[in-house]
Amino acid sequence: MDIRDLLLKDAMIMDLKATTKAAAIDELVHQYFVKGIINDEELYKQDIIKREAESTTGIGDGIAMPHAKNKAVQRATVLFAKSDAGVDFAALDGQPVHLFFMIAAPEGANNTHLQALAALSSLLINPDLVAALKKAQTPDDVQQLFADAQAAKEAKDAADEAAAAKPAATMQSTERPFIVAVSACPTGIAHTYMAEAALQKQAEAMNVDIKVETNGSEGVKHRLTADDIKRAVGVIITADKKVEMDRFDGKHLLNRPVIDGIKKPEELINETLAEKGSIFHATGADGSSNNDDGESKSAWSKIYANLMNGISNMLPFVVGGGILMAISFMVEQTVGAHSTTFIFLNGIGNWAFSFLIPVLAAYIAVSIGDRPALMPGFVGGFMANTAAASIVKTTSVAGFLGGLAAGFIAGYVIVLLKHLFRNLPKSLDGLKPMIFYPILGLLIVGFLMYFIVDPIFAVINHGLTTFLKSMGTGNAILLGTVLGGMMSIDMGGPFNKAAYTFAIGVYTATGDGKLMAAVMVGGMVPPLATAIATTFWKNKFTADERKAGISNYVLGISFITEGAIPFAASDPLHVIVSSVIGAALGGGLTQLWHVSVPAPHGGLWVTPLATNWVFYLLAVVIGALVSGIILGIWRPALKEEN
């Protein structure tokens, strides 16, 4: 496929007007919408913002590659935009971005489109092409530059393939060092292939042979064989998501972010050739999270990452099951509890909910101990969801808290077993994942859950449930206020997730959606507050911020707190403080008015499911207005430029 088919001339922006990151995203996304490339501006922008929240796509050297793959995209396209003045896009090198490549891929993108996107991404590591693009004046210039670069790359690839087809004896006589690498990023559209291309180009310049396995949207390409790994001097992992690690047992290995593959290929190759990477042990205590860059994560960062792995895999069960159950209650009011429709919807919702804690525990365990921890984590989570009446005199279950404990216990039990069996003869390696880990892991986790965790947390969970059910109005308001405020402190970060997770735990234990109402309102306030402030205090916001504020009306009512992040990043004091005040007020009001939302997501779109729905709306409006007014009054006016 010709790259020019992706780089549409009539979609290019040769004089980008935006001066901020948020405004640049808005301008690029809007151009896609105007040109009919996307049919839902907010849906596509939502995924662009989520990707930026993971890590900036401003890769340095004046280039940014924001990208998303979702159902709003009608056809695979790359939008080229050029800013002569430059935009502060929070690029990794801290320099302004002049060249933008916004990549849009449809959910059902075929391999031809994905290969073309990969090819285009890999071309951008060519400094000559980048320099020429910065001087391009017309869309025709841009297309021609990429066409020439693509032709040159295809010619080189053909020559390389011909060289690779030479007899083995000829190839071996070169005696060039050989290394292997794996490149992967969460989306798998751009960075994966840029890292591959950068490593290959640098290896060629250093007279080194390299094979790079890519884990992108097309799936795994150029998969490393056992012989490749055996022959290699060392291994380079440039990945921002999990990759299969056990196969590298006994090899010197560097584990770095994917951006290092793009920006630091020479450093990575030199360190690999010098065998500076620690020897990776598939059965070692470090597991697949081994990081040899000398910058170990804090204990809290690791715990948070493990917890988020469990929660992210659990959320589809929460959302799907929770909303279907909530709908079933509405149906019950019309057709009765014995209706087939009610029984069907309620049954599906309850079946989905029955997997919440096992899935949570299983994927916390996997994040710690990899695949061997999946089964004991799942069983431990199931045990946490089962009444402990045979051990203590209670019909309560260990519940959400027990599931959290089960996940961490299972993960670290497998890590311990890997450490204990690290010195077994190589001939017994096959027995570890098939015999030792599943049997001993299940036995240890099952013992700890049955005799210690379940009894203790069943009592704790019973006490918590009893307290929440008997909680007076004053205590409920205080708790709702705290949870609502926490949702706005970091807008999607640890405080936000802690409050949301607590509300889900209470919901699954009691079936009461009152605290879900508090966190839902708290999460809607920040984007709505920025929208209100930009609407009524226009002189205190730039034109780009006012445009972003309009979109935050939609993001706010949809419970997408992240819409306020660009504002908080540029003005944290005024935005965060005002948001917390309004969110805390709104969360407290939901408890004062006994609002319950039996759905774990949806914002105002699930208003028909709420009890006291008028007060639910009122809590949102009051919280958003208070925050918006405080922000609008408190924020200083923009300085006039001379």
Side-chain angles (χ1 to χ4, degrees):
M1 182 178 186
D2 194 324
I3 284 179
R4 286 173 290 188
D5 293 336
L6 292 174
L7 282 162
L8 303 183
K9 288 195 296 184
D10 64 345
M12 293 183 189
I13 304 175
M14 302 305 293
D15 56 343
L16 193 74
K17 300 294 191 299
T19 57
T20 66
K21 181 173 184 176
I25 291 175
D26 285 344
E27 189 173 344
L28 293 167
V29 171
H30 185 65
Q31 178 77 343
Y32 262 148
F33 183 72
V34 169
K35 297 300 180 181
I37 305 301
I38 58 175
N39 59 17
D40 189 326
E41 197 166 349
E42 293 305 325
L43 177 60
Y44 180 73
K45 179 183 173 182
Q46 175 184 334
D47 280 352
I48 288 288
I49 292 174
K50 283 184 177 180
R51 175 61 185 85
E52 292 298 323
E54 292 173 1
S55 63
T56 180
T57 58
I59 62 174
D61 295 331
I63 299 174
M65 299 185 70
H67 51 273
K69 178 181 179 183
N70 66 25
K71 62 184 180 182
V73 181
Q74 301 302 292
R75 57 169 292 186
T77 309
V78 178
L79 170 57
F80 173 82
K82 187 161 74 83
S83 168
D84 291 331
V87 176
D88 182 0
F89 207 77
L92 292 168
D93 60 1
Q95 298 302 309
V97 169
H98 295 275
L99 303 179
F100 292 85
F101 299 86
M102 178 169 275
I103 300 175
E107 279 189 333
N110 59 39
N111 282 343
T112 301
H113 284 121
L114 294 174
Q115 289 166 3
L117 289 171
L120 183 145
S121 301
S122 65
L123 292 176
L124 290 176
I125 57 97
N126 183 341
D128 294 333
L129 174 61
V130 173
L133 287 170
K134 289 179 179 179
K135 298 177 181 178
Q137 297 299 312
T138 68
D140 286 320
D141 293 341
V142 175
Q143 280 202 330
Q144 190 58 51
L145 286 169
F146 271 105
D148 294 342
Q150 182 183 25
K153 186 176 185 300
E154 289 175 350
K156 181 182 179 302
D157 289 344
D160 290 344
E161 288 180 9
K166 293 180 180 179
T170 303
M171 293 297 294
Q172 292 173 357
S173 65
T174 63
E175 297 182 353
R176 288 169 27 139
F178 176 66
I179 60 178
V180 294
V182 179
S183 171
C185 69
T187 309
I189 294 176
H191 291 63
T192 299
Y193 304 105
M194 293 184 74
E196 175 196 23
L199 286 167
Q200 289 174 337
K201 181 177 181 180
Q202 187 62 45
E204 182 181 7
M206 297 171 64
N207 202 32
V208 173
D209 288 332
I210 189 171
K211 180 176 180 180
V212 184
E213 174 183 299
T214 57
N215 191 337
S217 293
E218 298 179 86
V220 175
K221 296 292 184 182
H222 318 302
R223 183 180 290 276
L224 300 177
T225 66
D227 182 61
D228 291 332
I229 297 169
K230 182 179 179 181
R231 290 193 302 115
V233 175
V235 181
I236 299 172
I237 305 293
T238 58
D240 290 336
K241 69 177 184 179
K242 272 188 171 292
V243 298
E244 186 182 344
M245 298 290 287
D246 286 352
R247 52 190 167 153
F248 302 122
D249 184 50
K251 304 298 294 187
H252 288 277
L253 184 145
L254 296 174
N255 193 336
R256 303 289 182 83
V258 69
I259 196 65
D260 281 7
I262 301 172
K263 305 302 295 181
K264 304 176 181 178
E266 183 176 8
E267 174 185 321
L268 295 178
I269 293 173
N270 278 329
E271 290 189 11
T272 300
L273 293 177
E275 298 185 344
K276 290 186 178 180
S278 300
I279 294 179
F280 178 80
H281 296 290
T283 57
D286 53 0
S288 66
S289 61
N290 181 35
N291 190 331
D292 300 292
D293 59 6
E295 299 176 3
S296 58
K297 295 181 179 178
S298 67
W300 165 246
S301 296
K302 293 178 181 178
I303 292 171
Y304 179 69
N306 297 331
L307 178 62
M308 287 302 102
N309 192 58
I311 290 175
S312 63
N313 282 283
M314 178 193 73
L315 279 180
F317 294 84
V318 175
V319 176
I323 290 180
L324 284 180
M325 275 200 296
I327 292 174
S328 76
F329 297 142
M330 295 177 62
V331 171
E332 182 186 17
Q333 301 301 314
T334 304
V335 299
H338 299 292
S339 162
T340 300
T341 304
F342 166 74
I343 294 172
F344 169 70
L345 290 172
N346 190 260
I348 286 182
N350 275 290
W351 287 325
F353 256 48
S354 69
F355 285 97
L356 296 188
I357 296 174
V359 169
L360 171 73
Y363 282 95
I364 289 175
V366 167
S367 182
I368 298 168
D370 280 329
R371 285 182 297 176
L374 177 67
M375 183 273 292
F378 200 100
V379 174
F382 181 80
M383 293 177 71
N385 215 22
T386 305
S390 59
I391 310 171
V392 293
K393 293 182 179 180
T394 178
T395 57
S396 186
V397 298
F400 202 80
L401 296 175
L404 291 174
F408 283 99
I409 289 171
Y412 285 112
V413 162
I414 294 300
V415 168
L416 175 62
L417 291 175
K418 288 180 177 182
H419 180 74
L420 293 176
F421 292 124
R422 70 188 185 282
N423 293 322
L424 280 181
K426 288 287 184 182
S427 59
L428 298 180
D429 275 354
L431 295 179
K432 295 176 187 177
M434 297 302 297
I435 303 293
F436 297 152
Y437 298 156
I439 294 177
L440 293 177
L442 180 59
L443 181 63
I444 296 171
V445 171
F447 177 88
L448 294 173
M449 292 298 297
Y450 190 82
F451 290 105
I452 301 176
V453 175
D454 270 5
I456 293 174
F457 281 97
V459 173
I460 293 174
N461 199 44
H462 178 72
L464 177 62
T465 303
T466 301
F467 168 73
L468 290 170
K469 287 183 176 179
S470 62
M471 190 167 53
T473 301
N475 289 333
I477 292 173
L478 177 61
L479 184 56
T481 299
V482 172
L483 292 176
M486 288 176 66
M487 292 296 292
S488 295
I489 291 176
D490 51 7
M491 304 177 188
F495 282 97
N496 175 285
K497 290 296 187 292
Y500 185 64
T501 301
F502 178 78
I504 289 177
V506 172
Y507 182 38
T508 57
T510 66
D512 191 333
K514 288 181 180 178
L515 295 184
M516 288 306 310
V519 299
M520 198 95 77
V521 170
M524 286 188 277
V525 164
L528 289 174
T530 56
I532 291 168
T534 55
T535 299
F536 295 100
W537 284 269
K538 297 180 184 294
N539 65 313
K540 297 189 176 184
F541 297 89
T542 67
D544 295 328
E545 287 174 330
R546 292 196 294 273
K547 291 178 183 177
I550 294 173
S551 66
N552 272 359
Y553 280 112
V554 178
L555 295 177
I557 65 173
S558 302
F559 188 46
I560 301 173
T561 316
E562 289 82 358
I565 288 178
F567 291 88
S570 62
D571 185 11
L573 176 64
H574 299 101
V575 174
I576 293 176
V577 172
S578 59
S579 293
V580 169
I581 292 172
L585 175 61
L589 288 175
T590 62
Q591 306 309 293
L592 174 65
W593 292 328
H594 304 290
V595 177
S596 176
V597 180
H601 211 289
L604 292 187
W605 304 111
V606 295
T607 299
L609 308 179
T611 59
N612 297 324
W613 64 269
V614 173
F615 290 106
Y616 176 51
L617 290 174
L618 197 57
V620 174
V621 171
I622 291 174
L625 283 174
V626 168
S627 285
I629 291 171
I630 292 175
L631 177 59
I633 295 174
W634 188 20
R635 181 179 170 117
L638 294 177
K639 294 181 180 179
E640 295 185 4
E641 296 183 0
N642 295 324

